[in-house]
């Protein structure tokens, strides 16, 4: 009787494990508290399940990533940064989810998740249009946020989805109309939300991805469309009203950056924990907002020179691994997508820190999990050695 009951639980458990990536992907396009709940549940499941825990943490490098993340807990507690403690716990849960995704990711699963994300983003664009219509009579300049808390976060997700849609169009023949609709819907959402930083980021990152795919004709066509659009907006400024706010927006950014620098000089080594900018503007009387609106300054203020150095070392290591995979023809298409999305984060990071949000950050980590897709020779019997198949550097072998 006990054996029968245990055997009946195995298919249910397998279904639950296989459904985790899909549930997580859908949750990213729902309100942020849904995403937070799903991320915490998945992280708890990974930690509590021996099978999943061994699968995720069997690599010693995993502890190198998780253990340094415990330091900001104590730093945030020391400065009574209680929001920072909660944000750090959520960040740790997101990293555990990302590590799990990286361990189980395959080409087929990654393609399925991107397809689901495209469909969800089209629905989000429909929500943004509905919000704009509903608010038009009250505030014609209203910036819809769709399902992403504020307009800038929605702008970041729209940039990510334009990149994903373009990637799918270039690499997949099936459902191409879905991906064309994805690009159009997210360009519309990007226009409605009025995020100037996101618009510039989208142009730069899409052009870079087309160049990496060696689609020179599309690059020339895109440059012509961007030039034509810029001329049209200059002739008819009413088409993009937010251009009139450039001076005020930049002025507020300068005030925020100066306040952040004062906070960094106050606690240079370890920072004050996540979400430290509200503590800084309360102390120095700066511009009241959520973060520093600059990726480097926000990281330094939150984690200090020590934390930023550890984070930079990890980023450099991952960039090197990505380059080696690309150089040796291991999932080249996915490498290009990751590189383009990472470029978008860096470009947008000059004037905003939208990647430090549960929805945008988790989606970036989901895309980055494609770096864990195993090359074909990993499935070949062990009697064949790697050098007989492909001259892959030992650095990749150690990481895999």
């Amino acid at each position: 009787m006990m054996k029968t009951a245990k055997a009946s639980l195995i298919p249910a458990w397998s279904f639950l494990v296989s459904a985790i990536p899909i549930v997580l992907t859908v949750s990213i396009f729902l309100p942020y508290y849904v995403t937070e709940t799903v991320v915490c549940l998945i992280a708890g499941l990974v930690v509590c399940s021996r099978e999943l825990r061994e699968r995720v943490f069997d690599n010693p490098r995993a502890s190198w990533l998780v253990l340094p993340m415990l330091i900001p807990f104590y730093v945030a507690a020391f400065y009574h940064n209680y929001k920072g403690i909660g944000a750090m716990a959520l960040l740790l849960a997101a990293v555990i989810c990302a590590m799990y995704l990286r361990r189980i990711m395959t080409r087929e699963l990654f393609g399925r998740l991107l397809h689901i994300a495209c469909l969800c983003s089209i629905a989000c664009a429909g929500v943004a249009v509905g919000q704009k219509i509903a608010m038009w009579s009250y505030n014609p300049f209203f910036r819809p946020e769709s399902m992403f808390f504020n307009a800038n976060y929605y702008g970041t997700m729209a940039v990510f989805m334009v990149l994903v849609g373009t990637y799918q169009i270039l690499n997949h023949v099936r459902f191409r109309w879905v991906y064309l609709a994805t690009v159009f819907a997210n360009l519309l959402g990007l226009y409605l939300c009025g995020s100037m930083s996101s618009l510039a980021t989208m142009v730069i990152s899409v052009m870079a991805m087309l160049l990496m795919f060696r689609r020179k004709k599309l690059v020339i066509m895109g440059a012509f469309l961007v030039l034509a659009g810029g001329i049209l907006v200059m002739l008819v400024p009413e088409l993009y009203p937010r251009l009139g706010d450039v001076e005020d927006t930049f002025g507020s950014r300068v005030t925020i950056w100066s306040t952040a620098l004062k906070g960094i000089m106050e606690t240079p080594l370890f920072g004050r924990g996540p979400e430290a900018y509200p503590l800084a503007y309360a102390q120095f009387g700066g511009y009241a907002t959520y973060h520093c609106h600059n990726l480097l300054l926000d990281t330094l203020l939150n984690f200090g020179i020590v934390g930023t150095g550890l984070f930079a070392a990890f980023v450099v290591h991952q960039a090197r691994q990505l380059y080696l995979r690309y150089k040796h023809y291991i999932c080249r298409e996915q490498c290009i997508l990751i590189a383009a999305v990472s470029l978008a984060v860096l470009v947008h990071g000059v004037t905003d820190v939208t990647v430090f949000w549960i929805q945008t950050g988790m989606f970036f980590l989901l895309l980055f999990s494609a770096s864990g897709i195993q090359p074909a020779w990993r499935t070949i019997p062990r009697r064949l050695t790697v050098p007989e198949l492909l001259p892959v550097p030992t650095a990749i072998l150690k990481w895999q």
Side-chain angles (χ1 to χ4, degrees):
M1 186 69 178
M2 291 290 291
K3 292 182 178 180
T4 305
K6 186 175 181 179
S8 65
L9 289 175
I10 294 176
W13 173 253
S14 301
F15 173 78
L16 176 63
V17 173
S18 62
I20 286 176
I22 296 174
V23 173
L24 178 62
T25 303
V26 174
S27 74
I28 291 172
F29 295 88
L30 296 173
Y32 72 92
Y33 44 83
V34 177
T35 314
E36 290 177 347
T37 303
V38 171
V39 167
C40 291
L41 288 174
I42 293 174
L45 184 63
V46 170
V47 172
C48 295
S49 168
R50 179 180 177 183
E51 178 185 347
L52 297 182
R53 187 172 62 251
E54 290 178 351
R55 194 169 188 177
V56 171
F57 294 104
D58 64 348
N59 193 319
R61 293 178 186 262
S63 60
W64 296 6
L65 177 61
V66 173
L67 290 179
M69 295 182 67
L70 300 178
I71 298 175
F73 278 106
Y74 299 100
V75 175
F78 180 79
Y79 289 103
H80 304 287
N81 181 7
Y82 302 114
K83 287 186 177 180
I85 295 174
M88 200 63 220
L90 189 59
L91 177 60
L92 182 60
V95 168
I96 292 174
C97 286
M99 292 166 63
Y100 170 72
L101 288 174
R102 194 178 186 281
R103 291 292 294 168
I104 67 169
M105 193 57 65
T106 63
R107 285 178 179 268
E108 294 75 15
L109 176 59
F110 188 67
R112 188 178 302 119
L113 297 181
L114 293 189
H115 186 77
I116 292 171
C118 288
L119 296 175
C120 292
S121 72
I122 294 173
C124 288
V127 172
V129 172
Q131 291 174 343
K132 185 71 173 181
I133 294 173
M135 292 296 295
W136 182 263
S137 58
Y138 302 99
N139 181 12
F141 301 105
F142 171 74
R143 300 170 59 196
E145 59 199 33
S146 187
M147 310 294 281
F148 299 99
F149 189 69
N150 70 34
N152 289 332
Y153 292 142
Y154 179 43
T156 298
M157 283 299 299
V159 172
F160 287 165
M161 290 313 305
V162 169
L163 287 169
V164 169
T166 305
Y167 165 84
Q168 293 287 79
I169 291 170
L170 295 176
N171 294 283
H172 299 278
V173 177
R174 291 188 63 194
F175 305 112
R176 187 165 287 179
W177 63 272
V178 174
Y179 309 133
L180 287 169
T182 299
V183 172
F184 174 78
N186 284 280
L187 286 175
L188 177 61
L190 197 57
Y191 172 75
L192 292 177
C193 75
S195 175
M196 292 180 287
S197 299
S198 297
L199 184 61
T201 298
M202 184 272 298
V203 172
I204 294 171
S205 56
V206 169
M207 290 294 190
M209 186 167 72
L210 292 176
L211 283 173
M212 285 186 280
F213 276 118
R214 300 180 182 179
R215 300 299 184 96
K216 297 181 180 179
K217 292 182 179 179
L218 290 178
V219 172
I220 295 173
M221 186 184 304
F224 175 78
L225 290 174
V226 171
L227 180 61
I231 294 173
L232 182 62
V233 169
M234 290 177 64
L235 294 176
V236 189
E238 293 79 9
L239 290 175
Y240 201 78
R242 284 217 75 213
L243 284 177
D245 300 333
V246 171
E247 186 174 349
D248 293 337
T249 301
F250 184 75
S252 64
R253 292 289 194 275
V254 172
T255 304
I256 293 168
W257 295 337
S258 62
T259 304
L261 286 171
K262 293 177 183 177
I264 292 169
M265 296 301 293
E266 187 82 8
T267 54
L269 287 181
F270 295 100
R272 305 188 185 191
E275 298 196 23
Y277 181 78
L279 300 178
Y281 79 68
Q283 179 179 354
F284 300 106
Y287 187 92
T289 187
Y290 301 108
H291 47 65
C292 299
H293 285 273
N294 180 275
L295 189 59
L296 177 60
L297 292 179
D298 202 63
T299 306
L300 284 170
L301 182 63
N302 291 342
F303 305 108
I305 296 173
V306 174
T308 303
L310 291 172
F311 179 74
F314 178 76
V315 170
V316 170
H317 175 76
Q318 291 299 315
R320 180 172 179 269
Q321 295 296 321
L322 197 67
Y323 170 73
L324 290 174
R325 289 172 67 90
Y326 177 84
K327 181 180 178 180
H328 293 275
Y329 295 90
I330 300 175
C331 304
R332 269 200 160 192
E333 297 82 4
Q334 289 82 4
C335 290
I336 290 175
L337 176 61
I338 294 172
V341 172
S342 300
L343 176 63
V345 170
L346 292 176
V347 172
H348 204 165
V350 175
T351 58
D352 214 340
V353 198
T354 50
V355 75
F356 280 172
W357 178 247
I358 185 61
Q359 292 163 294
T360 54
M362 194 66 243
F363 190 68
F364 172 76
L365 292 175
L366 187 150
L367 295 177
F368 194 82
S369 68
S371 63
I373 297 175
Q374 302 293 335
W377 49 262
R378 297 286 291 188
T379 59
I380 295 178
R382 292 183 179 180
R383 65 177 179 272
L384 296 178
T385 60
V386 173
E388 295 173 352
L389 304 171
L390 189 67
V392 182
T394 56
I396 293 183
L397 300 180
K398 290 180 181 178
W399 177 250
Q400 300 293 343

